[in-house]
Amino acid sequence: MGSMKKEYDNSKKYSYDIMDEISKLLEKKDIPFNINTNKTEIVVKSSKYSKSSIKSLITDNISKPGTVISLLINITDIGDTIYIRQVSK
């Protein structure tokens, strides 16, 4: 239990810029998206990408230690819309 709390506490220092990093990555890869004004949700509306391909893109290109990405963001899909949401600040 102590190590999960340590990972969670460690992830806090990355929470302020994780969504900016994801949006810059999507721009670099020419993936169209929208981001809300509080920068807590990115929406990718495209049939060319799947939830797993977006998740792989993020985990392969944004280097954060340990389980930071899985603690900070949640990726879900409905039809051909993929939602990347920041779940922890």
Side-chain angles (χ1 to χ4, degrees), residues 49-67:
Y49 304 98
S50 66
K51 173 184 168 180
S52 61
S53 68
I54 294 292
K55 188 173 190 170
S56 294
L57 180 73
I58 292 169
T59 55
D60 293 347
N61 291 282
I62 295 179
S63 57
K64 298 290 183 213
T67 57

Side-chain angles (χ1 to χ4, degrees), residues 41-52:
E41 181 180 69
I42 294 173
V43 179
V44 177
K45 189 162 181 61
S46 173
S47 58
K48 291 177 14 181
Y49 304 98
S50 66
K51 173 184 168 180
S52 61

Side-chain angles (χ1 to χ4, degrees), residues 3-47:
S3 72
M4 183 53 97
K5 179 170 175 14
K6 185 177 178 183
E7 286 286 331
Y8 181 74
D9 290 342
N10 185 40
S11 73
K12 292 292 192 183
K13 63 183 168 188
Y14 300 103
S15 67
Y16 298 103
D17 64 351
I18 189 73
M19 296 303 273
D20 285 333
E21 286 189 56
I22 293 171
S23 62
K24 287 176 187 171
L25 173 63
L26 294 173
E27 285 175 359
K28 181 179 170 187
K29 299 292 184 178
D30 290 325
I31 299 173
F33 68 93
N34 292 312
I35 188 166
N36 67 357
T37 53
N38 339 355
K39 295 185 178 180
T40 56
E41 181 180 69
I42 294 173
V43 179
V44 177
K45 189 162 181 61
S46 173
S47 58

